[in-house]
Amino acid sequence: MKSARKKHLAFENNISKTGYRALFVLFKLLNAPASREEILTFFSKDPILKNDISKDTVTITVNTLKKAGCIISRPSQRTDNKYVLKSHPFDIHFSLSNIDALQSLRENIVTFQDLYLLMHLNNLYMKIANLAPDEETKNLLIYKHPLSEINYDILNELVIYARIKKPVNISYNSPENKNEKLEFTPEYLTFESDKLYVWGYCKKYNEFAYLRVDRIKRVNLITVCTASEGYLEFKKPVELIVYKLKGYSALMYSENKEETVTYEDKNSEYPLTIRAAVSNKFNFFQRILSYGTDCLIVSPDSAKTELLEHLKNIKAEYENEK
């Protein structure tokens, strides 16, 4: 009995050479125009195509691409005897709804307070922008994002120093004091109203404060601290304030670093009860006011009184405008 012979299955037996050649030529022409001789040279260096090349093969492959919808000019003196790919049906096209969806995704990422995820997404959008059909779409994808005005080197330094809680010298473009020099110990970064802020202890004002990152022009680590300077660890004053939320505000609420949901009852008028560790009253009341009538402060009474004073001042401002 004759011994069975194993059939050798080479890699090229498992692919369509016609399709492979078409893709091969398309990729070459996408990169640059090429003559028939240059394409044959490319074929000869490819392990799949090197044993099956001829001038007719190039012509047949180009015609196959034309039938697939590519517009390829014939070699002529005007084209330096090269095939030129003028257009093809494989372009990526973005509609206005596509762009809106991409932008909405990026804006929603901000709510996660994840800077590195946002930075990676921006890098992805920059690559997608290279395929945009026009300059307006390209610029929208590249530049319209929450970190557009921020120096990434400064941002990375702030993230690092916040992690180790080291004091730094900051050159800050303050709205009131212009180029202000601050000694600042960063603790964490957050987005507030589409702006990125760094929170920490400001020695100049001896308080826990926040700075807009896009206004920071320079950050230098303080490497030498003398005994007279005494960089003692600053413990920010914290006041516990309990408040309730209802309606859309309760539905959309998500816990943050300073707050904890202490009670939840979907059947209650106010489904959420939240305890906030407040170190910056101004920022806290700004957010509370944004909830409108969906919010009710439970305790302490001093916080209720302070909020009422804010509301009275706001009312007075409007009355003075009349």
Side-chain angles (χ1 to χ4, degrees), residues 49-198:
L49 302 175
K50 63 182 180 180
N51 297 321
D52 184 24
I53 56 177
S54 69
K55 291 183 178 181
D56 289 341
T57 303
V58 175
T59 302
I60 292 170
T61 303
V62 169
N63 288 336
T64 300
L65 288 171
K66 289 181 178 179
K67 289 180 180 179
C70 297
I71 298 177
I72 303 173
S73 65
R74 297 180 62 182
S76 64
Q77 288 185 343
R78 186 171 57 84
T79 63
D80 196 22
N81 291 318
K82 295 184 178 184
Y83 290 104
V84 178
L85 179 65
K86 293 187 174 181
S87 68
H88 60 83
F90 312 113
D91 284 325
I92 296 177
H93 297 283
F94 292 102
S95 65
L96 289 176
S97 60
N98 294 150
I99 298 300
D100 288 342
L102 289 171
Q103 291 298 84
S104 294
L105 172 63
R106 182 154 52 184
E107 290 168 5
N108 288 334
I109 291 296
V110 171
T111 62
F112 295 122
Q113 302 289 347
D114 190 330
L115 287 174
Y116 285 111
L117 177 58
L118 183 58
M119 291 168 73
H120 287 314
L121 193 64
N122 288 341
N123 290 335
L124 174 62
Y125 278 29
M126 288 182 70
K127 294 177 181 178
I128 295 175
N130 292 326
L131 304 172
D134 54 63
E135 283 300 312
E136 184 179 358
T137 304
K138 183 175 182 178
N139 291 335
L140 191 65
L141 291 169
I142 293 176
Y143 301 114
K144 197 173 189 315
H145 62 83
L147 301 178
S148 59
E149 302 298 325
I150 291 173
N151 183 308
Y152 275 26
D153 291 333
I154 289 176
L155 176 57
N156 281 320
E157 287 179 324
L158 290 173
V159 170
I160 292 170
Y161 299 146
R163 189 178 300 129
I164 60 178
K165 293 184 173 53
K166 290 289 186 180
V168 295
N169 284 322
I170 285 179
S171 177
Y172 188 64
N173 183 19
S174 168
E176 297 83 15
N177 303 319
K178 303 304 178 185
N179 190 20
E180 193 172 8
K181 306 299 181 184
L182 300 173
E183 294 180 11
F184 193 84
T185 304
E187 287 202 14
Y188 58 89
L189 294 96
T190 64
F191 280 101
E192 306 286 343
S193 302
D194 295 329
K195 296 294 183 182
L196 183 63
Y197 293 85
V198 58

Side-chain angles (χ1 to χ4, degrees), residues 238-272:
V238 173
E239 181 177 353
L240 294 179
I241 299 178
V242 178
Y243 66 95
K244 294 181 178 182
L245 287 179
K246 66 178 180 179
Y248 184 75
S249 299
L251 184 64
M252 299 302 296
Y253 176 80
S254 60
E255 287 188 349
N256 59 48
K257 187 175 181 180
E258 307 297 326
E259 297 186 351
T260 305
V261 175
T262 59
Y263 183 75
E264 186 171 359
D265 182 2
K266 294 180 180 179
N267 297 319
S268 174
E269 180 186 0
Y270 288 87
L272 295 182

